[in-house]
Amino acid sequence: MGEEDYYLELCERPVHFEKANPVNCVFFDEANKQVFAVRSGGATGVVVKGPDDRNPISFRMEDKGEVKCIKFSLENKILAVQRTSKTVDFSNFIPDSSQLEYTQECKTKNANILGFCWTSSTEIVFITDQGIEFYQVLPEKRNLKLLKSQNINVNWYMYCPEGSVILLSTTVLGNVLQPFYFRAGTMSKLPKFEIELPAAPKSTKLSLSERDIAMATIYGQLYVLFLRHHSRTSNSAGAEVVLYHLPREGACKKMHILKLNRTGKFALNVVDNLVVVHHQDTETSVIFDIRLRGEFDGSVTLHHPVLPARSIQPYQIPAAGPAPVTSQSPVPCKLYSSSWIVFQPDIIISASQGYLWNLQVKLQPIVNLLPDKGRLMDFLLQRKECKMVILSVCSQMLTESDRATLPVIATVFDKLNQEYKKYLDAEQNYTMAVEAGQSRSGPLLRRPVRTQAVVDQSDMYTHVLSVFTEKKETPHKFVIAVLMEYIRSLNQFQITVQHYLHELVIRTLVQHSLFSTLHQFLQYHVLSDSKPLACLLLSLESFYPPAHQLSLDMLKRLSTANDEIVEVLLSKHQVLAALRFIRGIGGHDNISARKFLDAAKQTEDHMLFYTIFRFFEQRNQRLRGNPSFTPGENRAARKLWGSHIQYQEITGGWGGARKLLVWRTLGLVLKEQNFVPARISLSLFTVVRVDSGC
């Protein structure tokens, strides 16, 4: 199989540590995700490495016997080492602090310490076979203070650092689990619950092993995972994983069952909210997603593997040696080895090889393994690094070779826009809450996190739709149908459609000379009004003359584009229409005279200029009691129109009198003699004259 067939892989940069051997013991700290390599009880050195540690921690400690457990506190401030079943030794790693060890013995008499867990940088829990003891470490005083304890018979324990919960196995069979929750110096006892065993045990010995239990956070909720090797139902002989939801408040409840349909040795990981089940016998793994729809039987939801079983992608271990030469080829790693140890959520350790890996999910191969596009999109939208894969799926389903049907495309668009709408609503609610001042009086507000599942319009336009429309081999009807389907989906979720999507539709229609369709889309408001869209329509006038009027109508409907309408009319030398529009909206008292006089000049229509000029004189008379322009306007008029503009009455009275109109503009003197106007209307737009003998 090629790399495209594997959907699980080991990380490229594992943590490399000294292999386990009779001299070197290896320990793993599940809270800090650190590997401890302890040589000769620490006398010859302790090396601590973690996935995020650039520089490993190295130190030596006195060999006081076999080390049973060793862990740093959070932030690596205090080291705890268990060498006996009664005590735990501590050393401060705080600058300017004493390096001398101090010891704490468990309080319960005759109790044996099973292990310990750090819950913070200065708080630690001892788990004994007779109960649990919660301490505060006082590094300055080099001692511990008991905060709380609980007596209970314990078979084994498990700690989930993500949820700060310790799970204790109690009773003879071990299937009654008692959880404790730790936070900020407090220990809370949660309701205990019972794990349903496959069948009634015939003996009274321990029936539930810690190897069959895991704790992990899945989709923000804490779950206890029980690997049941034999199904309780007679019609299924395969193993299954039972998920118990463990809330902070309320009883634990069985929620999901993952059907494995096989038997043998299994191991569990949780990667990117997916439950990964490894099967050692077949050296394959399967993944489950509890967010995907399953079969609900009235009490629990049954899930089957999302994808066919596949092996982890083959991994090559670099050749050993301080300076490997080019002739040394990497050594293949033995996958699903019996020496592998699995830790939650995504840790795989090979102590014999000296490697710690993080297990990773590869999304791109899943695209071809999950043909149902709707289910594929449901799956991808839950993953962390999903955006580019989702966009590639959208592009792929529009190609000629893998073209999907319009209903399938619509389903994909709806799923994407549903997530998009959730984010927009959350962002709007946050903004409104901040503006209302709720952050001061109410609980702490957190701005919504924009995950990669939010595929917005710009993402679709840049990576999918604009590229799709440029493919000449695609039928234009299909192109338009896809574009309109995406716009339909946005409107369905009440998302404002960005203008560049409408422009893409218009350009596609114009490219194929579908002007009647364009006209209908605009006439029936299939394409939303916007200023950029109106400007685009103006640019199409040479191809489609009605586009000019369609643009003006759109700007008029916007009610916020009055300036743009005026500019459009003036650019078309429709000066009177522009002035008529301005007066209609009541803005004629504030407009610039220079702009209109300049536009009238460019028409080279002297009577039009006279009409516009007289209009502004009348406006000045009405507003300021004087027809003259302001000094600034007058200077502008002189600059535009030449030396001066003069109107000189030769005889008195307009009624039946003879007049001489002298018009000087730009150095041009126009004389019209024997000009007898029977009627002159100096109204807003028209000058009607009757010439006699001209």
Side-chain angles (χ1 to χ4, degrees):
M1 291 190 295
E3 289 189 7
E4 65 277 3
D5 295 318
Y6 301 101
Y7 52 79
L8 292 172
E9 65 178 353
L10 303 177
C11 64
E12 292 183 358
R13 297 183 178 180
V15 176
H16 182 44
F17 55 90
E18 187 176 352
K19 300 177 183 178
N21 54 53
V23 178
N24 184 64
C25 296
V26 178
F27 301 88
F28 179 68
D29 175 11
E30 67 272 15
N32 290 317
K33 305 293 186 289
Q34 293 172 327
V35 176
F36 288 74
V38 183
R39 293 179 57 84
S40 304
T44 57
V46 178
V47 180
V48 185
K49 292 184 177 181
D52 301 325
D53 297 338
R54 295 182 179 179
N55 300 315
I57 302 173
S58 300
F59 58 91
R60 294 187 180 187
M61 58 185 185
E62 185 179 351
D63 185 2
K64 296 182 179 180
E66 179 188 359
V67 175
K68 297 180 179 294
C69 185
I70 181 171
K71 297 176 184 178
F72 268 116
S73 68
L74 304 185
E75 302 176 6
N76 300 330
K77 291 184 176 180
I78 306 171
L79 178 69
V81 183
Q82 180 190 353
R83 296 185 175 92
T84 71
S85 61
K86 301 294 183 181
T87 61
V88 176
D89 301 324
F90 296 87
S91 298
N92 294 335
F93 277 69
I94 304 173
D96 302 326
S97 179
S98 173
Q99 298 291 326
L100 295 176
E101 284 191 355
Y102 47 102
T103 303
Q104 178 64 46
E105 184 178 3
C106 63
K107 297 292 185 181
T108 308
K109 293 182 179 180
N110 302 322
N112 295 317
I113 298 177
L114 302 178
F116 61 87
C117 302
W118 287 99
T119 59
S120 75
S121 59
T122 57
E123 293 169 354
I124 192 170
V125 181
F126 291 1
I127 300 97
T128 72
D129 56 1
Q130 296 184 25
I132 190 170
E133 300 174 2
F134 185 33
Y135 292 94
Q136 180 182 11
V137 182
L138 306 173
E140 300 84 2
K141 298 181 179 180
R142 297 177 53 249
N143 60 25
L144 280 74
K145 175 184 177 182
L146 180 65
L147 299 177
K148 196 171 183 179
S149 63
Q150 179 80 37
N151 293 327
I152 184 174
N153 292 327
V154 180
N155 301 308
W156 49 264
Y157 76 96
M158 185 167 291
Y159 178 50
C160 178
E162 289 80 12
S164 296
V165 172
I166 293 179
L167 202 61
L168 306 181
S169 167
T170 66
T171 69
V172 177
L173 297 177
N175 65 325
V176 176
L177 303 182
Q178 175 62 64
F180 288 88
Y181 172 59
F182 298 86
R183 182 182 180 184
T186 61
M187 180 178 78
S188 304
K189 184 178 181 181
L190 303 180
K192 63 183 178 181
F193 61 98
E194 182 177 351
I195 296 292
E196 296 180 358
L197 299 175
K202 298 179 180 179
S203 62
T204 58
K205 66 178 182 178
L206 186 66
S207 299
L208 182 63
S209 168
E210 60 183 305
R211 293 193 304 270
D212 297 331
I213 293 292
M215 274 198 299
T217 300
I218 307 174
Y219 291 116
Q221 301 295 321
L222 183 60
Y223 286 89
V224 176
L225 290 76
F226 168 45
L227 178 58
R228 190 158 58 193
H229 291 276
H230 300 284
S231 174
R232 292 177 63 89
T233 58
S234 58
N235 58 354
S236 176
E240 55 193 23
V241 179
V242 185
L243 273 65
Y244 293 83
H245 178 219
L246 185 58
R248 297 278 171 81
E249 298 179 359
C252 185
K253 183 180 179 182
K254 183 168 68 172
M255 299 288 292
H256 304 274
I257 295 179
L258 315 181
K259 307 294 289 185
L260 302 181
N261 301 321
R262 58 181 62 181
T263 59
K265 295 181 179 180
F266 299 94
L268 303 176
N269 276 128
V270 174
V271 184
D272 202 2
N273 293 312
L274 297 170
V275 180
V276 182
V277 183
H278 308 289
H279 189 229
Q280 188 180 35
D281 296 347
T282 60
E283 296 186 357
T284 58
S285 304
V286 291
I287 59 176
F288 294 86
D289 188 351
I290 62 174
R291 279 276 178 91
L292 294 184
R293 182 178 299 177
E295 304 169 10
F296 186 66
D297 66 358
S299 58
V300 297
T301 303
L302 305 178
H303 298 270
H304 295 279
V306 177
L307 302 167
R310 289 286 190 275
S311 170
I312 297 173
Q313 182 174 323
Y315 186 85
Q316 303 290 326
I317 296 177
V325 294
T326 55
S327 60
Q328 292 178 308
S329 59
V331 180
C333 174
K334 171 60 178 173
L335 301 178
Y336 302 92
S337 169
S338 58
S339 66
W340 276 16
I341 306 173
V342 173
F343 293 94
Q344 300 309 316
D346 59 353
I347 304 293
I348 295 177
I349 294 179
S350 176
S352 62
Q353 295 175 310
Y355 283 95
L356 179 151
W357 294 281
N358 291 97
L359 186 65
Q360 298 174 341
V361 175
K362 298 171 59 180
L363 296 182
Q364 194 61 50
I366 297 175
V367 173
N368 298 324
L369 294 174
L370 200 56
D372 185 337
K373 289 294 188 290
R375 188 172 176 84
L376 173 63
M377 206 54 58
D378 289 336
F379 177 86
L380 292 177
L381 285 170
Q382 306 300 330
R383 310 284 75 84
K384 291 180 180 178
E385 305 293 331
C386 65
K387 177 172 288 188
M388 296 313 298
V389 180
I390 288 175
L391 293 172
S392 71
V393 171
C394 293
S395 297
Q396 180 182 344
M397 70 180 182
L398 300 179
T399 59
E400 187 174 1
S401 58
D402 297 316
R403 184 177 300 163
T405 62
L406 277 178
V408 172
I409 294 171
T411 300
V412 171
F413 287 163
D414 287 346
K415 291 181 182 297
L416 294 179
N417 289 327
Q418 185 176 17
E419 290 295 322
Y420 184 22
K421 178 63 173 177
K422 287 180 183 178
Y423 171 76
L424 292 177
D425 288 345
E427 184 72 22
Q428 183 181 16
N429 293 336
Y430 170 81
T431 303
M432 293 174 61
V434 170
E435 292 176 353
Q438 293 183 10
S439 57
R440 302 174 185 174
S441 57
L444 181 64
L445 289 174
R446 292 184 179 181
R447 192 181 191 96
V449 178
R450 187 186 180 108
T451 66
Q452 289 206 13
V454 179
V455 180
D456 61 19
Q457 299 176 62
S458 63
D459 295 324
M460 287 294 294
Y461 175 83
T462 303
H463 299 282
V464 180
L465 298 178
S466 61
V467 179
F468 168 61
T469 56
E470 293 175 358
K471 295 181 179 179
K472 297 181 179 180
E473 68 274 9
T474 307
H476 66 269
K477 290 185 178 180
F478 180 70
V479 173
I480 296 170
V482 169
L483 295 177
M484 297 311 301
E485 196 61 54
Y486 184 65
I487 292 175
R488 188 271 320 157
S489 180
L490 291 171
N491 289 327
Q492 177 177 322
F493 289 96
Q494 298 178 342
I495 301 173
T496 302
V497 182
Q498 295 298 319
H499 64 86
Y500 46 76
L501 291 175
H502 289 146
E503 292 174 8
L504 192 60
V505 174
I506 291 177
R507 286 201 300 267
T508 304
L509 292 172
V510 171
Q511 184 179 359
H512 296 91
S513 301
L514 299 174
F515 297 110
S516 60
T517 305
L518 170 61
H519 202 121
Q520 291 177 343
F521 282 178
L522 295 169
Q523 186 175 4
Y524 295 103
H525 309 298
V526 176
L527 304 178
S528 302
D529 296 340
S530 70
K531 292 181 182 179
L533 195 59
C535 294
L536 177 62
L537 289 173
L538 282 175
S539 67
L540 299 176
E541 183 181 4
S542 59
F543 301 99
Y544 185 55
H548 173 74
Q549 189 59 44
L550 290 171
S551 172
L552 289 178
D553 293 342
M554 181 176 293
L555 291 173
K556 183 66 171 65
R557 290 194 298 270
L558 287 172
S559 300
T560 58
N562 296 331
D563 293 340
E564 286 82 357
I565 293 176
V566 171
E567 294 296 336
V568 169
L569 292 172
L570 292 180
S571 68
K572 303 293 289 185
H573 303 299
Q574 299 178 9
V575 186
L576 294 180
L579 204 54
R580 188 182 296 116
F581 173 77
I582 284 292
R583 193 178 70 166
I585 62 174
H588 54 290
D589 288 345
N590 302 316
I591 59 175
S592 168
R594 177 180 178 179
K595 177 188 296 186
F596 284 81
L597 292 172
D598 185 29
K601 169 207 166 186
Q602 294 178 12
T603 64
E604 299 182 357
D605 184 339
H606 304 304
M607 287 308 299
L608 173 62
F609 175 81
Y610 172 70
T611 303
I612 300 300
F613 185 84
R614 286 292 293 159
F615 167 78
F616 283 108
E617 275 193 331
Q618 289 181 347
R619 184 193 70 169
N620 296 341
Q621 179 72 37
R622 176 169 51 83
L623 294 179
R624 298 193 294 268
N626 190 326
S628 301
F629 291 94
T630 62
E633 290 176 333
N634 188 47
R635 286 193 298 270
R638 285 179 177 274
K639 183 178 180 181
L640 287 171
W641 309 112
S643 58
H644 65 281
I645 299 174
Q646 179 180 358
Y647 302 91
Q648 183 179 356
E649 291 188 3
I650 304 303
T651 59
W654 282 98
R658 299 175 63 84
K659 282 187 174 283
L660 172 66
L661 172 61
V662 180
W663 187 318
R664 297 188 185 93
T665 175
L666 297 173
L668 172 67
V669 180
L670 174 66
K671 296 182 179 180
E672 294 188 62
Q673 296 180 343
N674 301 320
F675 173 61
V676 183
R679 176 170 55 91
I680 294 184
S681 173
L682 294 181
S683 62
L684 180 58
F685 297 117
T686 58
V687 176
V688 182
R689 65 179 183 174
V690 178
D691 298 342
S692 59
C694 289

